[in-house]
Amino acid sequence: MQTYTLHTHTVGFDGRDSVQAMVNRARDLGFKEIGISNHLIVNPIIRNTKMYPYAVKGGYSNIYSSSFEEALLRFEPHYHEILTLREQNPDMRILRGMEVDFFQDEKWLEGFYKTIQILKPDYIIGSAHFVEYNGTLLNAHDWKNADIETQDKLLEQYWINIASAAASGLFTWMAHLDLPKKVYLGLEDKWAEHESRAVEAIAKSNTAIEINTSGYKPYCYEPYPSMRILEMVKKNKVPVLISDDAHETKNIGRHFDEAEILVQQMRLKRLHKEK
Ligand SMILES: [Zn+2]
Ligand SMILES: [Zn+2]
């Protein structure tokens, strides 16, 4: 059984609970290690997106920054707090991670490199919650209202983005690979070749993937990614870890037992053998 969790979110970003509360809960579950991976989503037009007003209303707009300078102002005190808590909780390994939205753009890359040189995260999770479309960024949640032709274009671009993110070699692992599933998109078999190209790019760049247990929902009881993708992951010997994507203490370790069975039955390669 995996006794650590590395994909978690805390208050001040879009989580509900403090870092200390998350550490306490992980300890109660018998975990030895927890990593905090709040969102680093930097794009100059992020405040013009359809999603942004909802984030303001919901009180989590801090996950969005127009510049890396702005993101640094949020991450520096946050990382400092984690260091302090590390000293106060010597029985737990507390890591500093981040979940990053990758944008294929030279300016973005330059800013990102500078930022990680300052912050020195222990690991970086790659993701794509947005796709550029018609001069704006559309969040996966917006895609469900688009017409079918547009949805197909968005999905195509999504898989290209995942492949380029992996190819950048910046990320320790890629998050929730088939994220569009949360709005019931990308389920048809015709997406298999797009998924396969992305998984091949992941394998080639020695990037891992997560089995994200936030996918287990009553209406779609499976993690991210689907079995179809997990078969490709196995074939390409891509290492995996189990993530809960916890946004509050009660999510820590959710469905880890089921995901563990999946990893063992499929004989998937693990990212961390020693833990
Ligand atoms: Zn995410
Ligand atoms: Zn997350």
Side-chain angles (χ1 to χ4, degrees), residues 39 99 129 176:
H39 289 283
E99 180 181 2
H129 299 87
H176 40 61

Side-chain angles (χ1 to χ4, degrees), residues 43-46 48-51 103 130-139 142-143:
N43 194 292
I45 60 169
I46 201 75
N48 309 333
T49 59
K50 219 174 148 185
M51 189 70 191
F103 295 102
F130 290 89
V131 161
E132 288 184 47
Y133 187 78
N134 268 350
T136 186
L137 297 168
L138 290 182
N139 185 281
D142 306 322
W143 305 355

Side-chain angles (χ1 to χ4, degrees), residues 183-202:
V183 289
Y184 309 103
L185 293 177
L187 304 172
E188 303 94 329
D189 283 336
K190 66 172 180 179
W191 296 105
E193 58 178 294
H194 299 264
E195 295 164 358
S196 165
R197 276 196 290 270
V199 171
E200 279 161 25
I202 289 168

Side-chain angles (χ1 to χ4, degrees), residues 66-247:
S66 314
S67 68
F68 282 99
E69 287 76 15
E70 199 187 324
L72 259 181
L73 288 176
R74 295 185 176 128
F75 266 85
E76 278 190 308
H78 171 57
Y79 269 24
H80 185 77
E81 184 200 4
I82 297 177
L83 280 191
T84 309
L85 291 175
R86 207 181 264 182
E87 282 165 29
Q88 291 168 0
N89 298 268
D91 62 320
M92 293 287 285
R93 243 166 78 87
I94 309 175
L95 299 181
R96 302 186 299 180
M98 50 173 67
E99 180 181 2
V100 175
D101 270 64
F102 177 78
F103 295 102
Q104 180 79 292
D105 172 273
E106 241 167 74
K107 269 206 170 138
W108 185 90
L109 272 174
E110 194 186 313
F112 183 64
Y113 278 121
K114 275 191 198 155
T115 304
I116 55 175
Q117 273 164 19
I118 297 167
L119 292 174
K120 298 188 172 55
D122 296 308
Y123 60 91
I124 308 173
I125 311 175
S127 65
H129 299 87
F130 290 89
V131 161
E132 288 184 47
Y133 187 78
N134 268 350
T136 186
L137 297 168
L138 290 182
N139 185 281
H141 282 288
D142 306 322
W143 305 355
K144 59 175 181 280
N145 303 318
D147 59 70
I148 291 173
E149 205 181 313
T150 309
Q151 284 177 340
D152 279 3
K153 276 187 201 154
L154 291 164
L155 281 166
E156 266 174 48
Q157 192 56 49
Y158 172 81
W159 285 110
I160 291 170
N161 290 356
I162 293 294
S164 338
S168 75
L170 289 168
F171 305 114
T172 320
W173 74 87
M174 296 301 298
H176 40 61
L177 275 189
D178 52 354
L179 184 71
K181 181 164 76 186
K182 77 169 168 192
V183 289
Y184 309 103
L185 293 177
L187 304 172
E188 303 94 329
D189 283 336
K190 66 172 180 179
W191 296 105
E193 58 178 294
H194 299 264
E195 295 164 358
S196 165
R197 276 196 290 270
V199 171
E200 279 161 25
I202 289 168
K204 208 174 152 194
S205 57
N206 286 318
T207 309
I209 67 128
E210 66 178 15
I211 295 181
N212 186 314
T213 59
S214 75
Y216 286 103
K217 302 267 168 62
Y219 55 86
C220 173
Y221 202 76
E222 63 172 34
Y224 302 101
S226 65
M227 284 303 289
R228 182 170 72 205
I229 298 176
L230 283 176
E231 293 293 348
M232 300 169 190
V233 163
K234 181 180 165 70
K235 191 176 134 211
N236 286 277
K237 299 187 178 67
V238 172
V240 307
L241 80 164
I242 301 170
S243 291
D244 48 40
D245 207 344
H247 285 67

